[in-house]
Structure formats: C-alpha cells, structure tokens
Amino acid sequence: EGAEKGGWPDGPREKGKGKGKGRQQDRQMNYTTGRRPEIKAKIEKLMTEDDLPIQLEDFDAHAFRLLSKLLQRDEETGSDKYEQAFQLIADTTHAKGRADVENWRAFVFKLITKVDPEFAAQLKDKDMARKEHKRAAHKEKKEGEDHGGDDD
C-alpha cells in the first residue's frame, strides 16, 4: 500500500524534522563499502560461532569504514590489524551481557580504534577535513545565491 502511493514499501514514511533528518538512520544502515559483505560475514560468524552478545546493528557506518580501511591497509602492508580488531571485540565482549553496555555502537567502535589509534585518528581527521570543505563550499554557494541577481 505505501509503495503504491509513493511511500515506503513497508508503509507510510514518518515525517522527519527537516531536510533528510528522518533518513539519517537509513543512510547508516545502507552504508556500503566494497568490503561490506565480507565484514558483515565476519561479524555474523562471531555472533553465531563464538556466541558473543554483539549484534550486526552494533557496527555503524563508522565502524564498517574503519574495518574496511584496516583490511585494505593490511592487504597492502601485510599487517593484521583487521583480525586483531575482531579478536579484541571477541575477547572483550565474550563475558558481557547486552545489559552490561549502555551504548554498544560506541563500545564496539572504541574497541576497533584501540587496535590502531593513530590510524583511526588519521581517518577521523580526513573525515573532518572533508566535512569542513563541504560545509565551506555549501556556505559559499548559499552566499552567492543570496547576493546574486538582486542588483538592479
């Protein structure tokens, strides 16, 4: 019914708080990298075979990106930080219950960053610079639109 009326396939879309704000979670869950299926399979293996309390939803877009970059760098340099990240997650979470951690996304991401804090900081700095560049470009464009075409 929702898809037929131009809405979401599973029903009508809830109204958000403005431009795209209601879809932020959708973007995170649909975040893809070339390695996402490989990483997802590794997480699911930990969940089932090692019987850990982690869930796929505990790995947000930032965690997937960092794991993907670790895997890529490992392949280029021969290091094993990607495997170390999963080992640290397994070792740290095996004795925990879901109620023991208030924010699993933050907890899992923090564990991944502990494997190589310098590399994680470099990625964060690159992301911040990219976001600032986008912000500045948007501001310039908006100022150009505000001042353009009003001179008679």
Side-chain angles (χ1 to χ4, degrees):
E1 173 184 297
E4 296 164 3
K5 294 181 181 178
W8 293 95
D10 55 348
R13 179 177 168 199
E14 291 182 25
K15 188 171 182 172
K17 292 184 177 181
K19 284 187 174 179
K21 300 277 187 204
R23 297 188 66 197
Q24 184 174 1
Q25 186 175 5
D26 292 337
R27 282 196 304 274
Q28 284 184 338
M29 294 309 294
N30 292 326
Y31 180 79
T32 57
T33 65
R35 307 312 279 272
R36 192 181 198 303
E38 186 175 346
I39 296 167
K40 183 180 174 187
K42 183 93 171 167
I43 295 166
E44 289 172 341
K45 181 179 177 188
L46 280 178
M47 290 167 33
T48 56
E49 290 180 13
D50 295 347
D51 195 32
L52 297 178
I54 59 172
Q55 297 174 358
L56 188 58
E57 294 79 26
D58 299 335
F59 293 78
D60 63 7
H62 300 288
F64 269 97
R65 181 170 186 268
L66 183 54
L67 286 167
S68 178
K69 292 294 185 180
L70 285 171
L71 180 57
Q72 179 183 356
R73 195 181 64 166
D74 285 356
E75 290 172 346
E76 293 168 358
T77 64
S79 60
D80 67 340
K81 299 291 186 178
Y82 175 79
E83 291 297 330
Q84 286 179 26
F86 278 103
Q87 189 60 52
L88 181 60
I89 291 167
D91 292 346
T92 307
T93 62
H94 80 277
K96 293 198 178 296
R98 291 296 294 179
D100 295 336
V101 176
E102 187 174 325
N103 184 339
W104 277 92
R105 285 183 174 197
F107 183 70
V108 166
F109 185 74
K110 187 68 170 176
L111 290 175
I112 298 167
T113 61
K114 283 185 175 188
V115 172
D116 195 337
E118 188 176 311
F119 184 66
Q122 288 172 357
L123 279 178
K124 182 180 178 181
D125 290 344
K126 284 181 183 179
D127 284 347
M128 294 288 282
R130 182 179 45 80
K131 286 179 184 178
E132 184 57 38
H133 178 73
K134 280 178 132 179
R135 234 180 258 121
H138 178 71
K139 184 177 179 181
E140 283 180 27
K141 181 180 177 188
K142 185 173 171 118
E143 287 175 358
E145 290 171 357
D146 290 344
H147 297 297
D150 289 341
D151 299 334
D152 284 325

